[in-house]
Amino acid sequence: MTIVRSLLLFVLAAFAEIGGAWLIWQGWRENRGLWWIAAGVAALGAYGFVATLQPDANFGRILAAYGGVFVAGSLAWAMVVDKFRPDRWDVIGAAICLVGVAVIMYAPRADH
């Protein structure tokens, strides 16, 4: 159950961070206004709190693993929201990142 919880938290964190950055992009670059930017800032703040809910107590490990989730999540977001079509190299790169996440977060470790 801990791995499932961790994975769900990574998905929620990705949604908050990528969504927040996208809202700021829309507010600033697409001239949608300050409310979009404010919503983006709030979402980015929520991302910071979601990361603290991970069961692993090591900030560096959580953030490093999340980097791989962010890569894959950004491509997925772009596909759904912006109708981006990744090429095979995007997909291969994202898959490599997710393998890295699995190794960093879920590989067996000796208890200290």
Side-chain angles (χ1 to χ4, degrees):
M1 188 57 142
T2 301
I3 292 175
V4 172
R5 179 175 182 252
S6 174
L7 290 170
L8 290 173
L9 287 169
F10 276 132
V11 169
L12 182 59
F15 186 79
E17 186 180 18
I18 297 162
W22 183 84
L23 286 166
I24 291 170
W25 179 282
Q26 293 296 307
W28 187 257
R29 298 272 309 248
E30 304 298 329
N31 298 311
R32 295 202 173 177
L34 291 177
W35 286 112
W36 285 69
I37 294 169
V41 169
L44 288 170
Y47 153 73
F49 285 102
V50 170
T52 69
L53 301 175
Q54 282 288 349
D56 192 300
N58 297 291
F59 172 78
R61 181 176 294 143
I62 299 300
L63 212 55
Y66 176 68
V69 174
F70 180 81
V71 169
S74 294
L75 290 172
W77 180 280
M79 290 170 58
V80 172
V81 176
D82 296 326
K83 308 302 182 228
F84 172 74
R85 296 192 62 188
D87 64 20
R88 67 180 169 173
W89 301 111
D90 295 323
V91 173
I92 291 168
I96 291 168
C97 290
L98 292 176
V99 168
V101 171
V103 170
I104 291 169
M105 288 300 298
Y106 311 119
R109 290 188 165 81
D111 291 337
H112 298 306

